[in-house]
Amino acid sequence: MSTFTMLLPFGPQHPMLHEPAHFRFEVDGETVVNVTPYLNYVHRGIEKLLENRTYVQGLYVAARVCGICNPSHTNAFVAAVEEAMGIEPPPRAKYLRVVTQEIHRIQSHLILLAVAAEEMGFNSLFMLIWRDRERILRLIEAITGGRVMQSYDRIGGVYRDINDILAERVIKELSEMRNRVIQYRKVFSEDPIVRRRTVDVGVLKTAEMVRLGGVGPFARASAVDYDVRRDHRSNHVAYDEVPFNVITREECDVWARLIARVDETLECINMIEYALKHMPSGAIRYRAPRAAPKGAEGIGRVEAPRGELVHHTISDGQRPYRHRIRTPSFANVFPAAKAHIGYSIADIPMIYVSWDPCFSCLARVTLVDIRSGTAKVISGEELRREARRRWEK
Amino acid sequence: MILEAIVLILQIFIFPGFLFLLLMSFFIEWYKRKLFARMQNRVGPKYIGYKGILQPIADFFKLLSKEVIELERADNHLIDLSLLMASSIFIYVCFFLPFAGRPLISFEGDLIAVLLLTSAASFMLFAIGWSMSSPYGMIGGMRLLAQVIGFEIPYFILALVPAYITKSLSIFEIGRRMSSVLLSNPAYLIPWSISIPLFLVATQIELEEAPFHIPDAEQELVAGYFTELSGRRLALLDLAKDTQLLFCSAFMASIFFGAGSPFYQNPLLGFIMTMVEILIIAFFIVAIKASAARLAISNVLDMMWKYLVPSSALILAISLLLGGV
Amino acid sequence: MLKLFGEILGNLKRRPATIDVPFEKIEVEEIYRGLEFLDIDKCIGCGACALDCPAAAIEMVEFKEVNRKLPIFIIGRCVFCAQCEDTCPYEAIKMTREVPKPFFSFEEDKMKIVPKELRPLEKRPQPKPLPPPPPAKG
């Protein structure tokens, strides 16, 4: 039986998309039947750039993979390189890294909540969340020196210390932020119009999510209990000493994904307060060697706001022989494509925003991962063929 | 005789006619944008004119000077015609409203005429979306049509409630008699007060403002039925939307609150009272716009057909019973 | 039903949160990484900063008055990462709080920070190395 399906393109330029990507939705009436993602519009050749720079210079190139989650990339890069060089930062630096990681996670989740409100047409909530995010950006500027590009982690430690006055200011501002976030949580969880747009939309059950390989709050909202901070012991950041809860939700829909992020934001505020109060004293940086030994390998696994981020580096003495980045948005493309199927056109923006796509992170030079990725793809032969065709060009 | 003719011509073209309505539309756009911004802790238009009051005029003239990009497959004559019809209808129906105490045109039955003309204007907006062959335009146009069909019936029925209460079908007479009728028969306060919020909701649906801004679902359909408009077409559409807002606020003010009709001898006092009522009603429209997310089209259809239509029919039935059929 | 209604109405009496740039000035934080400042009395012209700059924004240029090479910062290429500040063993480069102003031409010659007060070195500055890492545990 052949049904007439209309092709609805969400092209590289579209008000819904914040970064260029191309999604082809095949719709039957108002219901989405199939989704084909076309990616790689923002490919900048970062992995190749890293091959021609020393580790000291490469830190800043790796940070520019993504504008929102650049501290995660810096942290993962530093973790990989420190493992390759066989060094460990001082304890105070590990706590400071926790502080900057969590504070950037707050602003990334706030971006997502504001964007979700905007997709729902809730312009006022978008503006108000953006105003409150400005406070976090001021704090980030006070701690690290840059509002968007933090560049705070260095190989062997961190850039600058936090003195007591600054710590007091951070704690005070964050407690005001906590009240605002609780207010936003009330709006997201109780407003009937918001609930009508997000509850029972884009449902992806736990088994499906695990099979397709989702990561981050996107997967945790489908009751997949995995968080790199808790489950991966690493000696470059102090997550084993700072207590926190991993937020999982059972509902598996868009509402759960938004609420999971709001709750994670509250957890971040708690973690920062704990870390600032229990910070050990001492040096903030050790003198790191300028190159890793030839053939040394290092893997850095970090929980970026969108999920698990992996940097893998192999050194050839002075520079990386190969540096490979696997971003969480890439892992989330496949379950996200599945989540659209069966829901109406009106739900497309909400489902799209709920997996928090970050296409700057997405476009890497890949060959190996795609082949193993396509084996998991369920959107049909077409996606497999298209993906292979695109990457082999 | 000649003097009367000259006065009539001046009234038609200047006050309270075309020029006045044009300036009022721009003013109400500024009011809407400034209030919307302040509600979100932003600034709104600021630099053009005193506190940005000339901003809509500047936007209008800027858009007039831009290039119109026409689609080959679209029916361009129909687009231009529908835009002209929509904006001129909305300006024309404002002639029936008592902006200066006394409306320019008034006859028994002009309530029905005004309601029919505004339905035609809403249909013109759909025609714009339909004559564009892009999927965004067509889907947006069809969503608008679904909304228009749904809100028309409760809008009509609720507009008939004050008509029945004051036993008149002329907007001017309804406004003039409303306060005296309510004071003498306080039982009428019940249907009158319940129909006000319902009429506000129906107005919100007509204006396609939040939570019903579905045809302009920017994130899904770029801009719905006005995606492909540019240049002077967009300027005309903005003017049509602003005049629609002016008309809807003034209409609601006239038939429910009188809006200047008590001062029909005195244009200045009538104008001031009308403006105050319009600004208050527009305030509520903007406040709802600022505090609501967007509903999906299925939710809106549910709301219109399951709740608005039966409750408006009920209100009309109550007012008929109270007045004695 | 509309959860945000009360807050929306409350916002009407607050001052807008918008900062009216450029009529109002924004104060940058203390640690803000602005334009670079070279301390002539500490720079020996080793060129380590130029080697480590990720954007190749430092050029070592010979200055006769001081008899050595000094770094010139090409602002058009600089990403303000402060790696030069960290690399310099003599702490001769500091990132000031001066916000870089917009440029209206693409010529790189106009976008350079050239050291102005040129004095020869009186005495050799002392390098300040970072503490070395403790020996690795296995």
Side-chain angles (χ1 to χ4, degrees):
Chain A
M1 164 177 126
S2 69
T3 55
F4 169 70
T5 55
M6 188 167 92
L7 216 58
L8 197 61
F10 277 72
Q13 278 145 339
H14 194 276
M16 172 179 98
L17 308 171
H18 306 279
E19 286 147 358
H22 184 60
F23 285 90
R24 255 187 224 166
F25 291 92
E26 288 168 36
V27 289
D28 176 15
E30 281 257 338
T31 320
V32 174
V33 173
N34 198 5
V35 184
T36 316
Y38 292 81
L39 309 171
N40 265 348
Y41 283 90
V42 236
H43 186 271
R44 290 151 293 159
I46 294 207
E47 290 179 357
K48 183 66 185 176
L49 285 175
L50 287 171
E51 283 177 22
N52 290 333
R53 286 176 178 44
T54 62
Y55 280 113
V56 173
Q57 293 170 329
L59 182 71
Y60 304 99
V61 178
R64 274 140 180 89
V65 170
C66 178
I68 307 174
C69 48
N70 61 84
S72 296
H73 284 280
T74 321
N75 202 14
F77 183 89
V78 162
V81 169
E82 281 178 355
E83 185 176 327
M85 291 178 180
I87 63 174
E88 206 177 301
R92 191 174 173 91
K94 293 188 198 175
Y95 272 78
L96 285 170
R97 284 180 184 177
V98 168
V99 170
T100 42
Q101 287 293 304
E102 293 312 307
I103 206 171
H104 109 271
R105 193 185 312 274
I106 298 178
Q107 61 102 8
S108 172
H109 284 330
L110 284 180
I111 290 185
L112 182 88
L113 292 171
V115 163
E118 169 80 12
E119 301 282 344
M120 271 191 275
F122 209 159
N123 194 258
S124 303
L125 195 59
F126 168 69
M127 294 289 175
L128 293 174
I129 295 183
W130 220 255
R131 176 198 66 186
D132 291 320
R133 181 178 168 252
E134 183 62 27
R135 270 197 240 181
I136 302 282
L137 288 183
R138 277 290 173 105
L139 280 183
I140 295 181
E141 188 187 346
I143 299 175
T144 68
R147 277 161 59 107
V148 176
M149 281 288 161
Q150 292 181 345
S151 298
Y152 188 64
D153 299 346
R154 304 279 195 254
I155 305 176
V158 292
Y159 174 55
R160 284 273 190 276
D161 206 347
I162 297 184
N163 58 22
D164 292 328
I165 309 171
L166 187 54
E168 287 291 317
R169 176 180 160 194
V170 170
I171 294 180
K172 187 164 88 78
E173 289 253 5
L174 283 180
S175 55
E176 284 167 25
M177 257 329 273
R178 184 186 276 126
N179 294 337
R180 298 297 310 163
V181 175
I182 292 178
Q183 173 85 348
Y184 294 136
R185 185 184 201 282
K186 217 189 324 181
V187 173
F188 272 107
S189 55
E190 289 169 24
D191 192 290
I193 305 182
V194 171
R195 284 186 68 92
R196 225 182 288 201
R197 293 299 304 273
T198 54
V199 173
D200 282 335
V201 166
V203 173
L204 209 56
K205 291 281 176 216
T206 310
E208 202 59 24
M209 181 70 80
V210 170
R211 188 174 74 93
L212 294 169
V215 291
F218 182 51
R220 287 200 283 279
S222 295
V224 175
D225 189 13
Y226 184 75
D227 187 328
V228 178
R229 296 175 287 176
R230 179 194 63 191
D231 299 328
H232 173 69
R233 288 275 155 262
S234 60
N235 57 0
H236 71 283
V237 79
Y239 280 118
D240 44 357
E241 298 169 35
V242 176
F244 66 100
N245 303 323
V246 172
I247 311 282
T248 56
R249 294 209 72 92
E250 302 289 323
E251 296 90 355
C252 313
D253 54 10
V254 168
W255 185 85
R257 293 170 202 149
L258 296 177
I259 297 292
R261 289 192 172 94
V262 178
D263 288 334
E264 262 185 35
T265 311
L266 291 169
E267 280 300 312
C268 292
I269 297 180
N270 293 341
M271 286 167 80
I272 298 176
E273 281 185 357
Y274 183 92
L276 284 175
K277 289 193 177 117
H278 295 87
M279 197 169 302
S281 53
I284 58 166
R285 201 145 114 210
Y286 287 144
R287 188 178 67 229
R290 292 182 63 84
K294 187 176 169 77
E297 257 185 75
I299 296 189
R301 287 171 65 185
V302 160
E303 177 81 10
R306 283 156 185 79
E308 176 184 355
L309 171 65
V310 181
H311 279 234
H312 179 202
T313 182
I314 303 179
S315 162
D316 74 346
Q318 184 70 351
R319 306 180 163 181
Y321 171 70
R322 176 81 174 94
H323 192 104
R324 172 85 176 89
I325 305 177
R326 203 288 321 248
T327 54
S329 299
F330 189 70
N332 281 338
V333 171
F334 303 111
K338 180 78 197 299
H340 279 288
I341 294 179
Y343 293 94
S344 81
I345 302 184
D347 298 323
I348 291 180
M350 288 315 298
I351 305 177
Y352 175 79
V353 126
S354 73
W355 63 280
D356 205 356
C358 178
F359 284 102
S360 312
C361 287
L362 204 43
R364 302 272 78 75
V365 172
T366 69
L367 224 25
V368 178
D369 211 68
I370 279 304
R371 297 228 177 88
S372 65
T374 49
K376 287 191 283 185
V377 149
I378 37 71
S379 307
E381 272 300 306
E382 198 194 4
L383 177 60
R384 200 182 298 191
R385 259 185 276 123
E386 282 297 322
R388 205 175 282 155
R389 181 174 69 82
R390 293 222 143 219
W391 268 284
E392 281 173 11
K393 255 195 229 167
Chain B
M1 183 65 198
I2 300 284
L3 194 62
E4 279 175 10
I6 292 181
V7 166
L8 187 64
I9 292 180
L10 281 179
Q11 275 186 328
I12 292 179
F13 283 100
I14 304 205
F15 180 83
F18 286 122
L19 189 62
F20 168 74
L21 289 171
L22 216 59
L23 292 176
M24 273 296 118
S25 307
F26 289 137
F27 174 73
I28 212 156
E29 179 180 348
W30 171 83
Y31 180 72
K32 176 181 93 162
R33 280 168 67 170
K34 193 82 178 166
L35 204 58
F36 190 55
R38 281 298 160 104
M39 286 177 176
Q40 296 173 344
N41 219 191
R42 295 185 291 129
V43 185
K46 183 169 167 157
Y47 297 110
I48 316 282
Y50 176 67
K51 290 200 188 300
I53 206 168
L54 297 178
Q55 181 77 41
I57 303 183
D59 287 340
F60 185 73
F61 282 107
K62 182 206 83 166
L63 278 174
L64 281 182
S65 65
K66 297 274 179 183
E67 177 191 356
V68 174
I69 299 178
E70 293 186 346
L71 295 179
E72 265 184 33
R73 289 186 303 173
D75 190 345
N76 287 301
H77 294 298
L78 189 57
I79 295 181
D80 287 324
L81 186 65
S82 319
L83 274 171
L84 275 172
M85 290 290 296
S87 40
S88 43
I89 290 178
F90 282 126
I91 295 186
Y92 177 60
V93 290
C94 287
F95 281 21
F96 291 88
L97 299 175
F99 271 104
R102 183 174 210 110
L104 276 177
I105 313 175
S106 167
F107 55 87
E108 197 66 29
D110 65 13
L111 179 69
I112 309 288
V114 161
L115 288 170
L116 284 176
L117 283 170
T118 50
S119 325
S122 302
F123 189 79
M124 292 293 154
L125 296 177
F126 158 72
I128 300 172
W130 181 252
S131 38
M132 267 177 232
S133 337
S134 71
Y136 301 128
M138 284 164 56
I139 299 184
M142 289 193 276
R143 286 193 183 173
L144 174 68
L145 196 61
Q147 244 180 269
V148 163
I149 294 176
F151 94 85
E152 286 290 334
I153 296 179
Y155 199 66
F156 266 66
I157 297 179
L158 288 169
L160 286 178
V161 168
Y164 187 73
I165 293 178
T166 52
K167 306 270 190 298
S168 157
L169 274 181
S170 154
I171 298 180
F172 180 47
E173 291 297 320
I174 296 175
R176 245 177 12 114
R177 292 185 204 166
M178 180 58 81
S179 42
S180 50
V181 163
L182 283 180
L183 282 174
S184 53
N185 298 25
Y188 277 137
L189 276 174
I190 302 175
W192 179 81
S193 53
I194 303 182
S195 50
I196 288 178
L198 290 177
F199 196 76
L200 190 64
V201 172
T203 306
Q204 199 86 354
I205 302 181
E206 175 184 3
L207 291 169
E208 301 157 44
E209 297 283 13
F212 310 104
H213 50 310
I214 292 165
D216 169 22
E218 191 186 284
Q219 290 73 33
E220 309 155 31
L221 302 172
V222 188
Y225 65 89
F226 53 94
T227 311
E228 310 283 348
L229 298 182
S230 50
R232 57 175 189 270
R233 290 180 177 172
L234 195 58
L236 213 51
L237 181 82
D238 281 344
L239 185 62
K241 299 299 287 180
D242 296 334
T243 320
Q244 187 185 29
L245 176 62
L246 179 69
F247 165 74
C248 287
S249 327
F251 185 56
M252 184 166 171
S254 311
I255 58 176
F256 283 99
F257 299 103
S261 324
F263 296 110
Y264 66 95
Q265 314 284 16
N266 189 343
L268 183 65
L269 276 180
F271 166 63
I272 292 178
M273 181 159 171
T274 312
M275 278 319 293
V276 167
E277 292 186 10
I278 289 179
L279 291 182
I280 295 178
I281 293 179
F283 177 86
F284 281 104
I285 293 179
V286 174
I288 300 179
K289 173 178 150 112
S291 43
R294 180 183 306 124
L295 287 168
I297 188 76
S298 48
N299 304 134
V300 176
L301 289 173
D302 265 355
M303 195 166 152
M304 290 192 295
W305 292 104
K306 276 197 224 169
Y307 301 109
L308 266 186
V309 170
S311 41
S312 47
L314 189 65
I315 302 291
L316 188 62
I318 293 179
S319 58
L320 284 170
L321 280 174
L322 283 176
V325 190
Chain C
M1 151 124 167
L2 300 168
K3 285 277 152 187
L4 221 45
F5 198 74
E7 187 171 336
I8 292 285
L9 290 183
N11 274 340
L12 283 174
K13 54 177 177 333
R14 285 186 209 126
R15 213 180 128 253
T18 318
I19 305 179
D20 198 6
V21 180
F23 302 111
E24 271 177 51
K25 219 166 133 33
I26 300 184
E27 281 297 317
V28 291
E29 302 286 340
E30 270 180 48
I31 201 182
Y32 179 78
R33 300 191 286 259
L35 297 176
E36 293 91 346
F37 166 73
L38 182 69
D39 193 342
I40 302 281
D41 299 320
K42 291 191 185 156
C43 173
I44 64 160
C46 64
C49 50
L51 283 177
D52 268 348
C53 179
I58 303 184
E59 241 178 73
M60 301 303 291
V61 169
E62 177 82 30
F63 279 85
K64 296 260 181 344
E65 298 89 330
V66 295
N67 207 18
R68 62 185 190 277
K69 286 193 178 171
L70 290 178
I72 290 192
F73 303 98
I74 304 174
I75 299 303
R77 294 200 203 162
C78 177
V79 290
F80 305 98
C81 64
Q83 180 60 46
C84 46
E85 184 182 6
D86 289 341
T87 302
C88 180
Y90 304 93
E91 292 184 348
I93 301 183
K94 290 264 179 291
M95 308 294 281
T96 60
R97 286 173 65 195
E98 194 184 325
V99 179
K101 295 205 174 31
F103 287 96
F104 296 103
S105 84
F106 285 114
E107 294 170 41
E108 278 193 354
D109 285 334
K110 298 203 172 53
M111 299 194 269
K112 293 189 178 164
I113 296 186
V114 181
K116 292 211 181 34
E117 320 138 337
L118 299 168
R119 309 181 274 273
L121 263 186
E122 284 152 17
K123 67 177 172 91
R124 190 177 175 87
Q126 293 296 318
K128 292 190 179 63
L130 286 168
K137 317 171 189 100

